[in-house]
Amino acid sequence: MSTKYIFVTGGVTSSLGKGILIASLAKLLQARGFSVTIQKLDPYLNVDPGTLNPYEHGECYVTDDGAETDLDLGHYERFLNKPTSQANNVTTGRIYQSVINKERKGDYLGKTVQIIPHITDEIKRNIKLLGRKGRYDFVLTEIGGTVGDMESLPYIEAVRQLKWELGKQAMVIHLTLVPFLNASGELKTKPTQHSVKSLLENGVQPDILVLRTEHELNEAIRKKVALFCNVDVEAVVQSIDVPTIYEVPLKMKEEKLDVTVLKKFGIPVGAEPELNAWKSFLNKYKNPKHKISIGLVGKYVELPDAYKSIVESFVHAGAVNECAVELKFIHSEEITHRNASQMLEGLNGILIAPGFGHRGIKGKIEAARFAREKDIPFLGICLGMQIAVVEFARNVLNYQGADSTEMNEVTQYPVIDLMEEQKGITNMGGTMRLGAFVCKIKKGTHLYKAYKKETIKERHRHRYEFNDKYIKDFENAGMKPVGINPETGLVEAVELENHKWFVGVQYHPEYSSTVLKPSPLFAAFIQACI
Ligand code: GLN
């Protein structure tokens, strides 16, 4: 079968959940035996979200191949259980960068370089790249932003051209909102009509409309939308609010979204999608036998999207353990030595989140100390591990003023220091230690018990590292390096002796946790908390 292209655009407002919708449709197609991949096109000028503050854009997700990407790629991997790569996330910045590089090389042979056709060609090239050599039956492309945004125009134009070129091999699904007006007690379709009109002005007729709603849509509403927007009634799909995003594939199946897509492409519908493992996950998630509460100590607590992959990892690993995990977001800036026991009281476990910069560091150190001294299960991720190391140096080894050189360049005890290869780097974008690296685990450790194997591969995103000059001092005092990169000798994980469960990892286990393959480390952490 030749590769089919499905585009998902959004209308009316942002945050309707295009990422979850596209991941759910891809899941259903995958569960029918098709090979699928999902791509996100982001209309901003940053080359990637790696330089964006979490306040701007939530979490920065990292792929195996070391791309810093939009957090929607995390959803794609969590739903499909398949790794994504740099090719799955393209921004306007990257498109322009590549066009301008070609222009400087003289590749355009004296032509005037313009948005149409050069920018749109580059967009189309990036979309078709994924479908090359028939690698996938379906390439699903999410167009970031909302239709009508000036920034999105070149993407919508590229979709228009591709629909024309590919004919029946391409399809557009438009996601909109049907608001409920309390005063009149009615669901309103006008915003959807306007949104489709605005797509039509750009020459794109959607094939399927997915309507986000808080109340059931009746037949009359579906018919009305179909009539005004030139689509079949079967192609008007309801997407009602559900308690967990992992139910959306089942809701889309009820609405026969996958069937409608297959029929429109002229592909035989075949047997029902195989979703047994998915349903069993949901069943465990909804019927927990245990309940724990874990404190997530970070500085973006008012913004759960900043820790998206961590939050989802607890959902996956919680379900395996049939355990409901209540996450308490604790602002690291509010924790002091005096109030630590009061703020962290009653928690079954403490997690210190990844992060950059000075803000909130003192509170994180207090939280690590509290977990160490009170024998509370502890997981430190990236900066979280570095904090545990600094705390141990200061309070157990008595290295006064020990620090990471990220926080204090002239500390007498740089127990966390800039990696050698980082020292000459001045550019901030894409220059960290990024992507999946091998880690060798020492037997007989919590880490080994979690992964049940000696060699693992996990993803990284950092510049600083455990300073191996101090390894012996730490080991002798009870903080052991338990995971080492076999090529560079870098310390990737530490553990405390004589503690229930205290693990710090330099890598990010949360990036590789999926519904069907929860992170073994999160699962072990939850077990320790139970
Ligand atoms: N700021 C730290 C470093 O660059 C930790 C990064 C992180 O937590 N992702 O090494």
Side-chain angles (χ1 to χ4, degrees), residues 353-357 381-384 386 406-407 432 461-465 506 508:
F356 296 83
I381 299 182
C382 206
L383 178 67
Q386 300 175 353
E406 180 180 7
M407 315 304 159
M432 279 188 253
R461 181 173 188 247
H462 58 113
R463 293 184 203 282
Y464 296 82
E465 240 355 291
Q506 188 56 76
H508 291 260

Side-chain angles (χ1 to χ4, degrees), residues 244-257:
T244 157
I245 52 171
Y246 300 111
E247 251 175 60
V248 179
L250 302 182
K251 285 283 165 202
M252 289 304 109
K253 182 173 167 283
E254 274 172 34
E255 288 281 317
K256 297 195 165 61
L257 174 60

